[in-house]
């Protein structure tokens, strides 16, 4: 069974500072990995995805993530936080050889300090 | 890009009544749709997976007779909460996978906030 663990349910950073949201995965096969962002009372928007191509993945809004097999990690980063980045972020994993349903982490709420 | 339209965005209903939530893929054919439930400040929990023209597959612990899912066409899936009770109050989100599965992943609807009073 596959799973993801997001360390830190709440992360606060100052505006302009580095954003680092952690995600570790557990999967018996090389997984597909996703980061989604959710604003209050809205659905999920895809930030970026890893599907066994380049290990450094660039997404929208200046976010990127690096797939590290040795560390089983897929941490999300952004060099400079903006107030509009305040939201809930979910890491998700999909087994490409299975039924392809997504398994989500518990989420990290990002707060930006002015 | 792929768009999934989910309606209604919010609904309030009386205990004991049924509520239908629609999820439509607007510009692609969705062979598979997923229905999630999200409690406040929690993650998304998969309720069921529906494939066009076949019965939905429910996750363990989800009552199939209470949460009726219909996926009659490649662009429409519905979730009906039957005999709703206050504990069914939650945020429900659908997600659709493109028939071509371009690895773009899964497109999510904007969610439905259900409040049962």
């Amino acid at each position: 069974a596959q799973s993801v663990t997001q360390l830190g349910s709440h992360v606060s950073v100052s505006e302009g500072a580095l954003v680092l949201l952690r995600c570790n995965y557990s999967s018996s096969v090389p997984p597909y990995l996703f980061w989604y962002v959710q604003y209050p009372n809205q659905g999920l928007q895809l930030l970026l995805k890893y599907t066994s191509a380049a290990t450094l993945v660039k997404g929208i809004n200046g976010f990127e993530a690096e797939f590290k097999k040795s560390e089983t990690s897929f941490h999300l980063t952004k060099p400079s936080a903006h107030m509009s980045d305040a939201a809930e972020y979910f890491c998700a994993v999909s087994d490409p050889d299975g039924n392809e349903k997504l398994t989500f982490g518990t989420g990290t709420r990002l707060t930006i300090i002015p | 890009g792929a768009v999934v339209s989910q309606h209604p965005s919010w609904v309030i209903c009386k205990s004991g009544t049924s509520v239908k939530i629609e999820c439509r893929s607007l510009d692609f054919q969705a062979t598979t749709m997923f229905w999630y439930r999200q409690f406040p400040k929690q993650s998304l929990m998969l309720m069921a997976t529906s494939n066009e023209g076949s019965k939905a597959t429910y996750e363990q612990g989800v009552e199939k007779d209470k949460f009726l899912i219909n996926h009659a066409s490649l662009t429409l899936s519905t979730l009906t909460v039957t005999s709703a009770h206050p504990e069914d109050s939650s945020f429900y989100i659908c997600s659709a996978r493109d028939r071509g599965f371009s690895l773009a992943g899964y497109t999510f609807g904007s969610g439905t906030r259900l409040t049962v009073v």
Side-chain angles (χ1 to χ4, degrees), chain B residues 34-103:
Chain B
F34 305 87
W35 287 94
Y36 295 87
R37 183 173 182 177
Q38 185 180 30
F39 290 104
K41 299 182 180 180
Q42 294 188 28
S43 188
L44 282 74
M45 300 300 297
L46 181 65
M47 299 174 65
T49 303
S50 74
N51 291 295
E52 184 264 338
S54 62
K55 291 184 178 180
T57 302
Y58 290 81
E59 296 298 302
Q60 190 173 8
V62 178
E63 299 176 61
K64 62 178 67 176
D65 294 330
K66 181 168 186 61
F67 299 100
L68 301 178
I69 291 173
N70 184 282
H71 194 163
S73 76
L74 284 171
T75 60
L76 174 64
S77 177
T78 60
L79 166 67
T80 301
V81 183
T82 62
S83 187
H85 291 283
E87 57 265 29
D88 299 324
S89 298
S90 189
F91 193 59
Y92 294 87
I93 306 176
C94 67
S95 172
R97 186 165 69 82
D98 193 323
R99 184 176 195 174
F101 195 46
S102 61
L103 295 182

Side-chain angles (χ1 to χ4, degrees), chain A residues 6 8-9 19 21-22 35-39 44-45 47 61 63 76 78 82-92 104-112, chain B residues 43:
Chain A
Q6 290 184 243
S9 58
V19 175
L21 304 183
R22 300 178 186 275
W35 274 102
Y36 287 89
V37 61
Q38 184 182 34
Y39 297 98
L44 274 66
Q45 181 182 11
L47 282 176
N61 301 339
F63 285 94
L76 181 71
K78 181 174 181 178
H82 190 272
M83 294 301 295
S84 61
D85 294 328
E88 188 85 19
Y89 291 80
F90 292 97
C91 182
F104 285 88
T106 51
T108 298
R109 181 167 298 276
L110 177 63
T111 299
I112 309 299
Chain B
S43 188

